[in-house]
Amino acid sequence: MPVIVAGDLNVIERGHQPPHKVFGEWEYDFYDSFQAAGLTDAFRHFHPDEVAHSWFGRSGNGLRFDHLFVPTPHAERVLGCDYHQEAREAGLTDHAVMTRPKGTGARNHAASLNTPTPPPRPRERNTLTPVEPGSDKIVSGPKGGATDGISDAERELYGGRRRGRGGVTVERAVRQAVFVAPAERDELDRMRRAHAAAAKQFQVFPSGPEVWGWQGRTLGRRAGDCWLRIVSAKVDKAGGRLWEGTATADTRVPRSVPRPRLRGVLDWTSADVVYRAELTEYVPVPPVTSGTPVLDQDITLPDSWWSELKSALGTLATVPTDRESVRQNWVDRNFRRFLGIDPIRIDERTTGHADLHWANLTREPLVLLDWENWGRLPVGYDLGLLHAYSLAASATAARIRRESGHVLETDAGRAGELIALGQLLQACSRGVHPHLAPLVARQAEHLTGIPVPTP
């Protein structure tokens, strides 16, 4: 069950303005421990730069003592978080009133912070009736005519299987965070120390919440108008394509492809670990999802957003590079295991992002994030991967296919999509995205006509 922590915690964040030397490291660690536990400071989420105080001493010195921490995967559903000084100024208390508006965000979120995430919300011609209290399924049936522009075939493919005449059973999508802090305390402290050392070298002052990459491999935080991200690896595994991706993209990909600009790179070695710190410009628009690449509820994006994405991928496709993001030998080794078919040949390649999912795409205006893996890949791979990560959100998945039919409905596009599905099934076999695995398998079977092997 999601947990919310709120109250007068008597601690302040690192980088608090003004600084107060009376606070010890253990007090900052206490504040940081909430982020390490997968919670987000709701006030900082909405006001990343604002200098605000919730308590004032007799001398007039202000501190932000009062906090509201919400589960990071649910942060986008919170409507706001603010301090109100009226009661304090009237002498009723020495603290500001901290408020969070009642309800959840208007971005097509149907669940509150205290309930499991339901399947995508149907539009007005659909009704939802629980099968039974506490059930993991819902039954959705049309009230006559077509519903929300999705055909029965699309709904069966994206949302579930047909039940009777017009009914559809839809499995509930359960969000699983994979962009999380390391579970081991030593690893957590090591990455934080490295991030602080990089900030000191760049002479920037991180103040935003921590954002962790895949299974704690990277750590990023806002620092003024910059974003500071570090990545670490053992000495024998550092360097190469992933290590250099952000830097090479900054110099080779045209500026018409919207992405953060790189401002500095710093490399160093400590013991048997190599670190790279990248200082990029800060992107104020949040990504579509947080904590997971999977879209588990439908979203509404304007036509201009889809046009911008098409244009960005089209421009990226023209970039010459010898970086190889998807290799033929992966297909040769894994197709029978994960797709149950003989390996295919990658006959048509293009240049792409190679990690196109919803945590790497912002809302309007569109910005593409995380360029470490960009390079040459099969035609249809990027769009096939984005579609696969959207299978739990039926209307959005259908929109991707309509927007991308000129690629995905070609022989080369289907081949690229199959490779993306195979790689995602490999990831699912390791325990991530368990709710997505059957949907990805169903999409693969739809393309090949052959059931995927049972894990």
Side-chain angles (χ1 to χ4, degrees), residues 226-245:
C226 297
W227 182 264
L228 178 58
R229 171 183 180 267
I230 65 164
V231 58
S232 71
K234 295 292 185 181
V235 170
D236 59 343
K237 296 183 179 180
R241 177 174 52 84
L242 293 177
W243 202 260
E244 299 291 340

Side-chain angles (χ1 to χ4, degrees), residues 240-246 248-249 252-253 316-317 319-331 333-334 346 348-356 370-382 385 416 419-420 423 426:
R241 177 174 52 84
L242 293 177
W243 202 260
E244 299 291 340
T246 301
T248 57
R252 300 182 191 178
V253 177
L316 181 58
V319 177
T321 180
D322 58 0
R323 291 170 53 85
E324 192 174 7
S325 299
V326 179
R327 295 182 170 89
Q328 179 67 49
N329 60 8
W330 185 92
V331 175
R333 292 195 316 268
N334 294 289
I346 304 176
E348 295 187 35
R349 290 182 177 269
T350 186
T351 300
H353 184 274
D355 202 14
L356 198 68
D370 193 356
W371 285 81
E372 65 180 9
N373 201 28
W374 78 282
R376 300 294 288 175
L377 43 73
V379 168
Y381 180 91
D382 269 349
L385 187 65
I419 295 171
Q423 292 194 345
Q426 182 182 49

